Amino acid sequence: MAPVTEATPDVPNDAWSGVHRGPLRAGEWVRLVDGKGRKHNFELVPGKRFFSNKGHLDHDELIGREEGFAVTSSVGGEYLVFRPLLSEFVVSMPRGAAVVYPKDSAQIVAMADIFPGAHVVEAGVGSGALTCSLLRAVGPHGRVSSYERREEFADVARRNVTQFFGGDHPAWQLTLGDLAEALPASGERCDRIILDMLAPWDCLDAAADALRPGGIVCAYVATTTQLSKFVEAVRVHGGFTEPAPWESLVRDWHVEGLAVRPGHKMIGHTAFLVTARRMAPGERAPLKKRRPAPGAYGPDYTGPRPPGVPETPADD
């Protein structure tokens, strides 16, 4: 075990950040990355060994050292050793349902304006990836109320969130049930609602009743048909501002001397995001002045129709 050269104060436990400073300790998770970029995540346990096709490493060789060092395995394989970042943890953690990728979690935290002390309601906890980002954003003085219909998903999410934060986060409440029924029954009022589910429009009335004026609803949907139906449902509801839909695409770049070009890998479409703000009770947002595109709500359209759009548009 390498000696510790200086004492580094840890992040206070009551910050509930999921982050530690100082020497690596037993019970923490580490992330090993080899020369080809392959990654391994595991918990440090005294006396145990990590095995790969590059030989083995003793956990005791890592415990007690400051992160950010290189280590060599029994047959000469080299690894970088760091604590995993939240963005790294969520893409490698055990999954029940698909995870919300970091690029979308970051957009949700920023564009839904998740703030310290906020009360956020989340429908569809999945494997707990977005939940970790929401809890990090609201802090110990905020609150995240998650609703999940499937018990097996809730169990996986509970384990992942507890693992990342190192215990039961005091700001998190996980309820097994359907938000459309459970949220109205709870009588909760909240600042933000995130809908990560198959049919978010089914929860729109419950979301409108629970959101404080000025609050934000944000839907995370995978397909264009879901996107269309949710946007139109928000318009028809009338208690929200004009919905804003978008998606984010992430492309890496290859940079070596004069060889500077887009990388061959890209995180393309993962989901669409839609946000809208809650109007005060009894208030309605002004109708859009711009006319819909010709044929947008023609005879082939079967979804919700915004106010002022007839069932059979008049001929121009």
Side-chain angles (χ1 to χ4, degrees):
M1 183 186 303
V4 178
T5 56
E6 64 175 278
T8 302
D10 196 6
V11 179
N13 290 333
D14 58 5
W16 286 95
S17 65
V19 175
H20 290 289
R21 302 191 191 107
L24 298 174
R25 289 164 287 185
E28 285 194 282
W29 283 69
V30 292
R31 184 178 180 88
L32 271 57
V33 183
D34 68 15
K36 292 187 176 180
R38 289 175 294 207
K39 305 165 184 71
H40 308 272
N41 299 277
F42 58 87
E43 181 183 3
L44 291 174
V45 179
K48 287 194 68 174
R49 278 182 170 175
F50 161 76
F51 292 91
S52 74
N53 60 355
K54 295 182 180 293
H56 67 263
L57 287 169
D58 290 324
H59 289 208
D60 291 333
E61 293 182 49
L62 312 181
I63 296 173
R65 298 185 64 178
E66 291 275 3
E67 62 179 315
F69 60 91
V71 66
T72 304
S73 70
S74 59
V75 296
E78 290 190 321
Y79 295 93
L80 287 176
V81 182
F82 285 91
R83 292 181 173 98
L85 304 174
L86 174 56
S87 60
E88 296 169 338
F89 172 79
V90 297
V91 296
S92 61
M93 67 187 188
R95 300 185 185 187
V99 301
V100 177
Y101 274 79
K103 74 180 185 69
D104 295 318
S105 293
Q107 289 278 299
I108 291 170
V109 169
M111 303 306 289
D113 197 38
I114 311 298
F115 59 91
H119 180 191
V120 180
V121 169
E122 175 192 26
V125 74
S127 296
L130 177 60
T131 309
C132 289
S133 292
L134 296 176
L135 287 168
R136 171 80 70 78
V138 304
H141 300 296
R143 185 178 173 194
V144 174
S145 301
S146 301
Y147 292 83
E148 175 55 58
R149 296 170 62 180
R150 297 181 59 171
E151 186 172 4
E152 64 270 28
F153 290 172
D155 289 341
V156 172
R158 187 179 291 107
R159 288 194 298 269
N160 286 333
V161 172
T162 300
Q163 176 188 318
F164 180 76
F165 289 103
D168 296 329
H169 199 297
W172 190 36
Q173 177 182 347
L174 176 58
T175 300
L176 193 63
D178 189 337
L179 178 140
E181 300 173 358
L183 183 58
S186 73
E188 286 188 307
R189 301 298 303 279
C190 60
D191 303 298
R192 307 288 186 260
I193 293 184
I194 314 299
L195 303 175
D196 174 13
M197 54 195 304
L198 188 64
W201 46 87
D202 289 343
C203 294
L204 200 54
D205 287 338
D209 291 341
L211 274 173
R212 297 183 175 94
I216 297 173
V217 62
C218 176
Y220 175 93
V221 293
T223 69
T224 54
T225 51
Q226 289 173 300
L227 172 67
S228 174
K229 189 167 182 178
F230 183 74
V231 167
E232 299 297 352
V234 171
R235 288 177 176 146
V236 169
H237 184 279
F240 294 89
T241 58
E242 174 67 13
W246 80 98
E247 68 172 332
S248 63
L249 311 175
V250 177
R251 183 173 68 180
D252 67 325
W253 277 72
H254 174 91
V255 180
E256 287 182 347
L258 297 178
V260 180
R261 55 171 173 74
H264 295 306
K265 295 184 297 182
M266 179 177 182
I267 304 177
H269 174 74
T270 49
F272 300 103
L273 294 169
V274 185
T275 55
R277 297 195 72 177
R278 183 70 170 101
M279 300 291 294
E283 297 291 328
R284 296 181 70 90
L287 295 177
K288 288 178 63 176
K289 299 296 184 182
R290 182 174 60 83
R291 295 180 60 190
Y297 298 97
D300 294 331
Y301 176 77
T302 59
R305 293 177 181 270
V309 177
E311 284 290 328
T312 304
D315 293 334
D316 291 335

